[in-house]
Amino acid sequence: NASRNPAARGVETYSLDFAESSNSEQIAALENSSGGRTMNDLENLLETIATNSKLGESHNFAAVIQRSMVRHLREADTTLPDLGVKQAPFVVLIGARMPSVLAEISFLSNAKDAELLSSDAYRNLVADALFDGILSYQRGLAPPPQFAEQD
């Protein structure tokens, strides 16, 4: 993550949906433009979000990932801000046929976060947090239906 505000720091997780705040909308626009697109280029965005059957699952997945990141990363930094779960129209999340999220892990524009990110130990905590979050989400899914065998 990055911000024009050098004091901004912490972790946040996004799922695909309409932006709930102008800040989330601006972040999505900036992130989307780095891929060569602008929000104006996304004519089908409204339809895509409206018809995405994985929105609810993605919101739940984002909450699990966020909790895992905060829990793990506070082992290295007890003051790490939990910026929460948010939603925004990120291009990288459009078209996913499975629950999907965008994890924004610390701010390169913040000196303390950048120092943490330069550490192998911190990056290992990030990997562990994401892995544990995925496993937790998977374990929380309903088991697939079992069909009785017929003779």
Side-chain angles (χ1 to χ4, degrees):
N1 211 347
S3 174
R4 289 187 175 118
N5 176 2
R9 59 184 307 261
V11 294
E12 59 193 348
T13 306
Y14 285 89
S15 62
L16 178 67
D17 211 333
F18 301 106
E20 296 174 310
S21 70
S22 62
N23 187 49
S24 292
E25 188 174 295
Q26 290 171 2
I27 291 168
L30 181 62
E31 188 92 13
N32 293 343
S33 69
S34 69
R37 294 181 171 178
T38 66
M39 296 299 279
N40 294 332
D41 295 330
L42 307 177
E43 293 176 11
N44 297 322
L45 182 61
L46 177 64
E47 183 179 339
T48 300
I49 291 173
T51 60
N52 189 325
S53 64
K54 299 297 180 188
L55 291 181
E57 292 172 68
S58 293
H59 293 318
N60 293 337
F61 187 28
V64 172
I65 291 293
Q66 181 69 16
R67 281 192 304 271
S68 183
M69 285 198 311
V70 169
R71 184 177 66 252
H72 281 272
L73 300 182
R74 282 192 176 158
E75 291 176 24
D77 177 11
T78 58
T79 65
L80 178 80
D82 178 354
L83 302 178
V85 175
K86 300 173 182 171
Q87 56 192 45
F90 285 100
V91 171
V92 297
L93 299 176
I94 294 173
R97 296 182 185 165
M98 74 290 286
S100 57
V101 300
L102 174 65
E104 293 281 7
I105 303 162
S106 304
F107 284 74
L108 291 172
S109 53
N110 177 276
K112 183 170 184 171
D113 277 5
E115 181 180 339
L116 287 166
L117 286 165
S118 70
S119 155
D120 287 340
Y122 189 75
R123 290 191 308 271
N124 285 335
L125 284 174
V126 170
D128 290 344
L130 293 171
F131 180 74
D132 287 350
I134 292 166
L135 283 181
S136 293
Y137 178 77
Q138 181 187 28
R139 287 182 188 125
L141 296 175
Q146 298 294 316
F147 298 100
E149 291 185 32
Q150 295 186 356
D151 297 320

